């Protein structure tokens, strides 16, 4: 992810490469109902980008924004970014027609999270010897980050690092059926790396929410008599969690005078607004809070949103008082929650299209379980990746889209 002149990610470069492959299969893709919903969703974004970016652009009351942060530039860049991300998702969907490709991709994803967590371990060890090395800054040229109490490894920030470890832990629970001690070792590894070395409330919320979704889905499959509840597996997960918790306490106490424990408590105290705020906006972080506060005072914009990537312009006057110290005049960054960014980009109309697409993908993946009981793991992964995106934007979501597209294409090929 190059941060030098433009936020040009490897993912977007991959999207450029994959465009010809997607165009080549456009005829087959056009028959997929899941893809049709995705095209409609993106089409709405394009229309709103033209309306709010060029015809009736949002005003910049501060005069401090660069050209790329003004309505025209912002809408074009955001539409281009989403288009390239969707190109990757569609390419994945084309590959995911073959079940083996799904398994290979998700295993690669899991081991990538292990590698990411390992980078935090290296940073932690180096920081203990006063030899701090900033992986992200070294590889991308992005801003340096030297807070020895919170590691980020290859990731942009500790919050993202924590969430990546949470996703890895979830993939471990769903897919890996190896020896008990291997599971426990991996589980402890993720708990340590994700929550001892990053101290992220967002990562903790992600893991708790995901666990709730996973348990609910397991109960649903049990009631449908598709999968029986595995008490032995639950005991293993509980034991892994216990060992991880003990390891967590141990690594915290490595530091003299429990410095890490104090850092963890301080980080959670800073997030006390999540519980003490009187409004929904007050419980969110700055960019999401400003967007929600704008919609609260301007409910008419809830229907179609504010246009692709443009919410920062109308939402700047609605920055909450608690955030004014850091952002006194305006915000340029987008909300971090997928649900809020989609509401901002395309409003309730777009969200309705997205949920119809999500439901179609869930229904298709569920129907494939009857053909192959092992498809249960793919069904669980699809639901988790799609729903967790609403909590916080992570690129795992594109694998969710890919699994939805792949199921749609595979289901159609069976019917043919």
């Amino acid at each position: 992810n190059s941060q030098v002149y433009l936020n040009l990610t490897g993912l977007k470069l991959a999207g450029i490469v994959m465009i010809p492959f997607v165009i080549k299969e456009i005829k087959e893709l056009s028959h997929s109902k899941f893809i049709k919903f995705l095209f409609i969703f993106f089409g709405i974004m394009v229309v709103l980008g033209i309306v709010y970016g060029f015809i009736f652009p949002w005003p910049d009351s501060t005069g401090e924004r660069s050209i790329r942060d003004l309505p025209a530039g912002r809408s074009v860049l955001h539409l281009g970014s989403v288009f390239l991300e969707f190109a990757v998702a569609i390419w994945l969907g084309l590959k995911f027609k073959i079940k083996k490709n799904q398994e290979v991709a998700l295993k690669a994803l899991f081991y990538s999270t292990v590698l990411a967590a390992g980078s935090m371990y290296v940073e932690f060890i180096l920081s203990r010897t006063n030899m701090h090395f900033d992986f992200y800054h070294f590889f991308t040229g992005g801003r340096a980050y030297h807070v020895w109490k919170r590691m980020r490894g290859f990731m942009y920030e500790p919050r993202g690092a924590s969430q990546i470890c949470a996703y890895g832990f979830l993939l471990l629970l769903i897919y890996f059926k190896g020896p008990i001690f291997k599971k426990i070792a991996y589980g402890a590894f993720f708990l340590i790396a994700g929550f001892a070395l990053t101290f992220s409330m967002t990562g903790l919320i992600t893991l708790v929410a995901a666990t709730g979704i996973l348990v609910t889905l397991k109960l649903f499959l049990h009631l449908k008599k598709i999968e029986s509840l595995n008490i032995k597996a639950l005991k293993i997960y509980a034991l892994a969690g216990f060992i991880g918790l003990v390891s967590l306490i141990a690594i915290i106490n490595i530091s003299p005078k429990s410095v890490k424990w104090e850092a963890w408590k301080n980080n959670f105290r800073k997030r006390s607004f999540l519980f003490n705020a009187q409004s929904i906006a007050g419980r969110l972080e700055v960019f999401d809070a400003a967007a929600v506060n704008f919609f609260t005072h301007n409910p008419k914009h809830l229907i179609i949103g504010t246009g692709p990537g443009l919410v920062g312009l109308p939402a700047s006057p609605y920055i909450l008082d608690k955030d004014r110290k850091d952002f006194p005049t305006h915000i340029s960054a987008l909300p971090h929650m997928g649900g809020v960014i989609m509401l901002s980009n395309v409003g309730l109309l777009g969200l309705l299209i997205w949920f119809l697409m999500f439901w179609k993908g869930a229904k298709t993946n569920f129907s494939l379980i009857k053909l192959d009981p092992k498809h249960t793991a793919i069904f669980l992964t699809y639901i988790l990746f799609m729903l967790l995106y609403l909590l916080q934007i992570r690129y795992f979501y594109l694998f969710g889209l890919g699994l939805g597209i792949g199921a749609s294409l595979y289901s159609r090929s069976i019917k043919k």
Side-chain angles (χ1 to χ4, degrees):
N1 180 2
S2 174
Q3 294 277 323
V4 180
Y5 297 109
L6 185 67
N7 187 1
L8 188 62
T9 65
L11 179 78
K12 294 180 178 65
L13 290 173
I16 294 171
V17 173
M18 291 167 185
I19 288 173
F21 296 95
V22 172
I23 292 174
K24 183 183 175 183
E25 304 294 338
I26 198 70
K27 186 176 180 180
E28 180 183 4
L29 292 167
S30 64
H31 296 295
S32 163
K33 290 183 180 179
F34 192 96
I35 283 286
K36 287 177 181 177
F37 282 125
L38 191 65
F39 284 170
I40 293 170
F41 181 87
F42 186 73
I44 293 172
M45 284 185 66
V46 171
V47 172
L48 292 175
I50 294 171
V51 172
Y52 287 123
F54 295 91
I55 301 175
F56 303 110
W58 292 106
D60 173 25
S61 57
T62 65
E64 299 174 359
R65 297 177 186 272
S66 62
I67 293 176
R68 70 176 187 177
D69 288 326
L70 291 174
R74 193 85 180 157
S75 60
V76 170
L77 285 174
H78 191 70
L79 283 171
S81 177
V82 173
F83 177 78
L84 294 176
E85 289 171 14
F86 283 175
V88 172
I90 294 170
W91 182 84
L92 286 171
L94 288 166
K95 295 297 178 185
F96 285 169
K97 282 194 301 180
I98 301 172
K99 188 170 181 60
K100 184 179 178 181
N101 287 342
Q102 297 175 348
E103 295 169 355
V104 169
L106 292 168
K107 279 188 178 181
L109 202 61
F110 170 76
Y111 286 117
S112 296
T113 63
V114 173
L115 183 64
S119 68
M120 287 189 284
Y121 270 107
V122 173
E123 282 198 353
F124 173 72
I125 293 168
L126 290 176
S127 70
R128 294 294 297 146
T129 58
N130 294 318
M131 295 172 57
H132 181 76
F133 182 77
D134 190 334
F135 280 109
Y136 189 86
H137 173 67
F138 177 79
F139 284 115
T140 70
R143 68 181 178 91
Y145 182 90
H146 188 183
V147 180
W148 77 272
K149 300 171 187 176
R150 301 188 73 197
M151 307 302 143
R152 66 171 178 174
F154 295 140
M155 282 64 68
Y156 175 71
E157 59 182 358
R159 169 172 50 189
S162 178
Q163 286 184 296
I164 282 173
C165 290
Y167 274 97
F169 187 69
L170 292 166
L171 287 170
L172 168 73
L173 295 183
I174 294 172
Y175 284 94
F176 286 79
K177 311 296 182 185
I180 291 176
F181 290 106
K182 192 174 181 181
K183 275 184 174 291
I184 293 171
Y186 276 140
F189 183 90
F190 278 110
L191 285 169
I192 295 168
F195 304 109
L197 301 182
T198 62
F199 309 116
S200 171
M201 174 70 85
T202 309
L204 184 60
I205 290 172
T206 299
L207 189 59
V208 170
T211 304
I213 294 169
L214 196 55
V215 170
T216 302
L217 289 172
K218 287 283 187 180
L219 288 172
F220 168 75
L221 292 172
H222 177 66
L223 292 172
K224 290 287 184 179
K225 298 181 178 179
I226 292 171
E227 186 180 87
S228 59
L229 288 177
N230 191 331
I231 303 300
K232 184 179 178 182
L234 292 176
K235 289 179 180 178
I236 292 170
Y237 300 152
L239 181 58
F242 174 74
I243 291 177
L245 184 61
V246 171
S247 304
L248 172 79
I249 294 170
I251 201 169
I252 286 171
N253 287 302
I254 287 173
S255 303
K257 299 180 181 179
S258 298
V259 174
K260 277 194 170 295
W261 178 247
E262 290 300 321
W264 202 20
K265 288 195 295 186
N266 289 336
N267 183 55
F268 276 75
R269 283 194 202 104
K270 291 178 182 178
R271 300 292 184 272
S272 61
F273 62 83
L274 290 169
F275 310 101
N276 301 330
Q278 301 298 314
S279 64
I280 295 176
R283 297 177 188 274
L284 305 176
E285 296 200 48
V286 50
F287 310 114
D288 301 88
V292 170
N293 196 31
F294 166 76
F295 286 118
T296 301
H297 289 86
N298 301 274
K300 64 181 180 181
H301 289 291
L302 280 170
I303 304 300
I304 58 172
T306 58
L310 299 175
V311 69
L313 286 130
S316 288
Y318 295 88
I319 298 172
L320 300 188
D321 292 338
K322 70 180 179 68
D323 300 317
R324 283 287 177 187
K325 181 180 177 181
D326 297 319
F327 299 90
T329 59
H330 70 282
I331 52 174
S332 296
L334 297 173
H336 296 316
M337 298 177 69
V340 177
I341 187 62
M342 282 199 289
L343 181 66
S344 303
N345 285 346
V346 287
L348 293 173
L349 175 62
L351 273 176
L352 175 62
I353 301 297
W354 188 89
F355 275 108
L356 288 173
M357 178 180 70
F358 165 73
W359 177 252
K360 177 62 182 173
K363 194 175 176 182
T364 305
N365 271 296
F366 182 71
S367 68
L368 293 176
I369 295 174
K370 297 174 183 176
L371 298 174
D372 180 7
K374 291 182 179 179
H375 196 80
T376 301
I378 298 296
F379 169 72
L380 294 173
T381 306
Y382 168 80
I383 299 289
L384 278 174
F385 282 9
M386 294 289 279
L387 291 185
L388 288 179
Y389 176 80
L390 299 176
L391 273 180
Q392 195 82 181
I393 294 173
R394 287 287 169 256
Y395 287 138
F396 292 85
Y397 159 66
L398 299 180
F399 280 79
L401 283 176
L403 292 173
I405 295 166
S408 178
L409 296 174
Y410 179 66
S411 180
R412 183 173 181 273
S413 68
I414 290 174
K415 290 176 182 177
K416 285 179 67 177

